[in-house]
């Protein structure tokens, strides 16, 4: 299982970089080919390992596959991928799965820089805000890699209380800050700073019922806030401050119907047919439309249960990561972009900690558990 999980994560990480640097043909189907191959690999690993998969995972995977075929909605492939890879990762000790995630994230970021240094790709500076692309197709993709590598390395260091965790934090913060000065990627950098701030704050406010409730319901609250932002579409000042997100979100919502929410619709198709809607720039609206209300509701409920379970198990660093990443999801439509390893890891811990039975089945070595304490799956 560990081999299959490693091949899947590293394969996706490397493929994501290649299609954003050297294989940039928009008509290329290589991305979907790799995703499909990973899905097949996950199925094979589950079959060979005789892994028990919860019934609700199977039902959701079948439902999502049906919508992908009936609605021609390729967004559903990301959901199928997550639902099938998650049980593969569950078969590993939690520490090993976390280590694979941060290693794969570092490999993807390192590959971008290696291609740039080797002269295979070339950095370009966008006139708007003087943003460096570092040889990729866009700043958002590049800083997704920076955020993923930085946050997962810090998460691993603090979750398992490595002796070098504070030195690691200082080094990673310095590197992330330098990349921010070169890219002006405010959403990702701010989310990383919020993650660092939350690590001590979550522990401090863990006993507060109000804090735990807000943290558990944060995706629902952020979704509601997205609709509020869309209602400000006529406010010119707010549009300028928020990079015209109020206007773009409003136009996006005006081009979806009830059937799109109930049975899903490819967000990419909406963007292609409605020229003014350049991007959704909000993961929660993308989740509701791209996957449908059923999958969205499952994610919201799973997130709520996971955060409650994490508080009971004193998983404060994981909570900090999930909350910061959820904030990042407000400014980028990346919850379904499973080529980002940190997104896969977010789905992994949400689904893991939302299922007490599955959580209890993971064999924990006390030396590998956070703080040296065995897991309490309450």
């Amino acid at each position: 299982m560990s081999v299959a999980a490693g091949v899947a994560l590293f394969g996706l990480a490397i493929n994501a970089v290649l299609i954003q640097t050297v294989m940039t043909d928009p008509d290329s189907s290589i991305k979907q080919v790799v995703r499909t191959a990973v899905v097949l690999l996950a199925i094979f690993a589950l079959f060979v390992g005789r892994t028990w998969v919860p019934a609700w995972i199977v039902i959701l995977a079948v439902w999502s596959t049906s919508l992908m075929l009936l609605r021609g909605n390729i967004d559903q492939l990301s959901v199928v991928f997550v639902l099938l890879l998650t049980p593969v990762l569950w078969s590993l000790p939690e520490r090993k799965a976390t280590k694979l995630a941060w290693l794969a994230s570092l490999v993807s970021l390192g590959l971008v820089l290696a291609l740039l240094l080797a002269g295979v790709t070339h950095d370009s500076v966008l006139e708007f805000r003087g943003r460096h692309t570092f040889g990729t197709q866009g700043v958002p993709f590049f800083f997704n890699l920076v955020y993923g590598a930085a946050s997962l390395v810090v998460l691993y260091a603090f979750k398992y209380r490595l002796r070098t965790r504070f030195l690691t934090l200082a080094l990673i913060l310095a590197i992330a800050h330098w990349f921010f000065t070169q890219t002006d990627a405010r959403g990702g950098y701010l989310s990383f700073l919020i993650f660092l701030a939350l690590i001590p704050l979550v522990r401090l406010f863990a006993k507060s019922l109000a804090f735990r409730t807000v943290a558990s319901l944060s995706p629902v609250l952020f979704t509601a806030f997205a609709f509020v932002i869309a209602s400000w579409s006529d406010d010119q000042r707010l549009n300028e401050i928020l990079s015209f997100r109020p206007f773009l979100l409003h136009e996006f919502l005006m081009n979806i119907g009830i059937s799109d929410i109930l049975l899903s619709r490819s967000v990419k198709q909406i963007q292609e047919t409605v020229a003014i809607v350049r991007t959704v720039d909000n993961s929660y609206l993308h989740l509701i439309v791209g996957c449908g209300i059923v999958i969205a509701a499952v994610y919201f409920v799973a997130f709520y249960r996971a955060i409650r379970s994490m508080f009971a198990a004193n998983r404060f660093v994981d909570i900090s990561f999930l909350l910061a990443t959820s904030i990042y999801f407000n400014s980028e439509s990346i919850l379904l972009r499973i080529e980002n390893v940190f997104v896969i890891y977010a789905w992994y811990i949400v689904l893991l900690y939302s299922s007490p039975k599955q959580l209890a089945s993971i064999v924990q070595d006390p030396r590998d558990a956070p703080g040296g304490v065995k897991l309490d799956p309450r």
Side-chain angles (χ1 to χ4, degrees):
M1 283 294 189
S2 60
V3 174
V7 170
L9 291 180
F10 283 93
L12 284 169
I14 294 171
N15 179 63
V17 170
L18 294 179
I19 62 177
Q20 287 286 336
T21 53
V22 297
M23 298 186 299
T24 58
D25 181 3
D27 296 324
S28 175
S29 59
I30 186 65
K31 178 169 68 173
Q32 305 305 341
V33 170
V34 172
R35 285 187 179 184
T36 302
V38 170
V39 168
L40 295 176
L41 174 63
I43 294 174
F44 177 76
L46 293 173
F47 178 77
V48 172
R50 297 182 179 181
T51 304
W52 177 79
V53 180
W56 63 273
I57 290 282
V58 177
I59 293 172
L60 283 178
V62 171
W63 169 253
S64 190
T65 302
S66 299
L67 292 181
M68 179 174 61
L69 298 175
L70 294 175
R71 303 282 289 182
N73 181 5
I74 202 65
D75 290 344
Q76 296 287 352
L77 185 57
S78 296
V79 179
V80 175
F81 168 83
V82 167
L83 292 174
L84 293 178
L85 183 60
T86 294
V88 176
L89 293 174
W90 284 350
S91 66
L92 307 178
E94 188 177 354
R95 181 165 185 168
K96 189 167 187 177
T98 305
K99 187 174 184 179
L100 281 175
W102 71 258
L103 283 173
S105 293
L106 281 181
V107 165
S108 59
L109 179 59
L111 181 57
V112 168
L113 300 178
L115 291 172
L116 184 62
L117 291 174
V120 177
T121 59
H122 303 280
D123 183 29
S124 58
V125 182
L126 305 179
E127 292 185 10
F128 180 61
R129 290 162 36 193
R131 312 173 78 187
H132 289 260
T133 64
F134 287 89
T136 67
Q137 287 296 294
V139 172
F141 170 78
F142 177 74
F143 212 86
N144 285 343
L145 301 183
V146 174
Y147 175 83
S151 60
L152 288 179
V153 168
V154 172
L155 178 145
Y156 185 84
F158 276 81
K159 181 174 180 176
Y160 296 103
R161 301 185 183 181
L162 303 186
R163 293 180 179 179
T164 59
R165 61 187 180 277
F166 291 106
L167 177 61
T168 300
L169 172 60
L171 178 61
I172 294 297
L173 178 58
I175 294 173
H177 178 74
W178 185 81
F179 279 128
F180 166 67
T181 63
Q182 302 302 302
T183 60
D184 195 24
R186 295 169 291 185
Y189 183 61
L190 179 60
S191 297
F192 179 63
L193 294 182
I194 290 173
F195 170 49
L196 300 185
L198 283 173
I199 292 176
L201 291 177
V202 168
R203 181 182 297 272
L204 180 63
F205 293 105
K207 294 183 179 180
S208 168
L209 177 61
F211 181 79
R212 295 199 306 270
T213 301
V214 171
S216 302
L217 294 174
S218 56
V220 176
L221 298 176
F222 288 142
T223 302
F225 187 58
F227 284 94
V228 173
I229 292 177
S231 70
W232 297 337
S233 60
D234 294 329
D235 192 315
Q236 184 62 28
R237 184 170 177 273
L238 283 175
N239 270 298
E240 292 176 357
I241 294 174
L242 299 175
S243 301
F244 288 91
R245 281 187 173 83
F247 174 75
L248 293 173
L249 292 181
H250 177 268
E251 292 301 311
F252 172 73
L253 292 174
M254 290 298 100
N255 285 278
I256 62 174
I258 298 298
S259 63
D260 300 328
I261 295 175
L262 294 177
L263 300 177
S264 80
R265 180 182 176 190
S266 171
V267 172
K268 184 177 181 180
Q269 291 177 359
I270 298 176
Q271 293 172 185
E272 291 175 347
T273 56
V274 184
I276 200 170
V277 182
R278 295 177 301 171
T279 179
V280 181
D281 265 347
N282 187 286
S283 291
Y284 302 110
L285 295 183
H286 192 161
L287 178 67
I288 292 173
V289 177
C291 295
I293 194 63
V294 173
I295 299 294
V298 168
Y299 179 81
F300 293 151
V301 172
F303 191 97
Y304 176 85
R305 289 170 57 88
I307 293 293
R308 297 296 292 266
S309 180
M310 287 180 189
F311 272 117
N314 296 328
R315 293 298 205 256
F316 302 131
V317 180
D318 281 314
I319 294 171
S320 303
F321 167 76
L322 271 185
L323 293 181
T325 302
S326 294
I327 292 173
Y328 194 14
F329 288 161
N330 285 279
S331 60
E332 296 290 341
S333 183
I334 52 179
L335 182 55
L336 298 180
R337 293 181 182 174
I338 48 92
E339 63 267 19
N340 295 303
V341 180
F342 77 92
V343 175
I344 298 175
Y345 186 77
W347 278 94
Y348 158 70
I349 57 177
V350 164
L351 296 179
L352 173 63
Y353 280 88
S354 66
S355 177
K357 181 179 179 180
Q358 186 61 46
L359 194 57
S361 70
I362 293 182
V363 178
Q364 294 282 347
D365 184 334
R367 295 169 299 176
D368 292 340
V373 180
K374 280 193 174 181
L375 181 66
D376 177 7
R378 288 180 297 168

